[in-house]
Amino acid sequence: MVYGADTYDVVLSDSGPTFYATKNVGIWPFTYTFKMQGKVISYSTSWYSGSGYSQISFPFVGLYSLDYAYVRLSNSAGFYRSWTYHQGSFTCNFYYPYLSDADGGPSSKLTMKWHYEFVGDLGSY
């Protein structure tokens, strides 16, 4: 019986004004694709979405359950906002109080982290 680490994190990050990143984790047939996308819009409603999973499993390692997903938007002017979710996939609209990067505003960065806790080895499920 092989036990995995206590936690497992999946992190995606990209610079603005349009954000997009994907990451594949695991090995076939246990492959999971995480996706992040979004956009900051000048003085308007900006948005992002994250696509993840409530559970992930790895052969010979074990089963992990989502504890939380954390999102942070920041820019070079010192502005930041953060959000926490307890489901794997989520969307958000928010007000961005600057010119967007494309219009001469401060450079922005979006980061998403899915944090998983070890549940048990796959032999018991």
Side-chain angles (χ1 to χ4, degrees), residues 40-41 43-44 46 73 75 79 94-100 106 108:
V40 290
I41 303 167
Y43 303 111
S44 184
S46 301
L73 172 77
N75 69 23
F79 170 83
F94 60 94
Y95 179 71
Y96 186 68
Y98 294 89
L99 284 169
S100 82
S108 57

Side-chain angles (χ1 to χ4, degrees), residues 19 72-76 78-81 96 107-110:
F19 309 104
R72 180 182 169 96
L73 172 77
S74 60
N75 69 23
S76 57
F79 170 83
Y80 75 92
R81 290 191 65 187
Y96 186 68
S107 60
S108 57
K109 182 177 181 181
L110 183 67

Side-chain angles (χ1 to χ4, degrees), residues 5-108:
D6 290 338
T7 64
Y8 185 83
D9 291 337
V10 178
V11 180
L12 297 176
S13 189
D14 193 23
S15 298
T18 301
F19 309 104
Y20 184 82
T22 62
K23 185 177 218 176
N24 292 319
V25 300
I27 57 172
W28 188 88
F30 301 94
T31 303
Y32 304 90
T33 301
F34 290 79
K35 183 176 179 182
M36 174 186 87
Q37 57 186 344
K39 187 171 186 177
V40 290
I41 303 167
S42 299
Y43 303 111
S44 184
T45 299
S46 301
W47 64 275
Y48 65 77
S49 66
S51 178
Y53 301 85
S54 59
Q55 289 188 329
I56 55 177
S57 58
F58 301 104
F60 312 111
V61 177
L63 179 68
Y64 290 78
S65 185
L66 180 71
D67 185 25
Y68 64 87
Y70 175 78
V71 180
R72 180 182 169 96
L73 172 77
S74 60
N75 69 23
S76 57
F79 170 83
Y80 75 92
R81 290 191 65 187
S82 60
W83 300 264
T84 303
Y85 300 93
H86 295 284
Q87 68 272 1
S89 296
F90 42 82
T91 61
C92 179
N93 294 308
F94 60 94
Y95 179 71
Y96 186 68
Y98 294 89
L99 284 169
S100 82
D101 310 36
D103 298 321
S107 60
S108 57

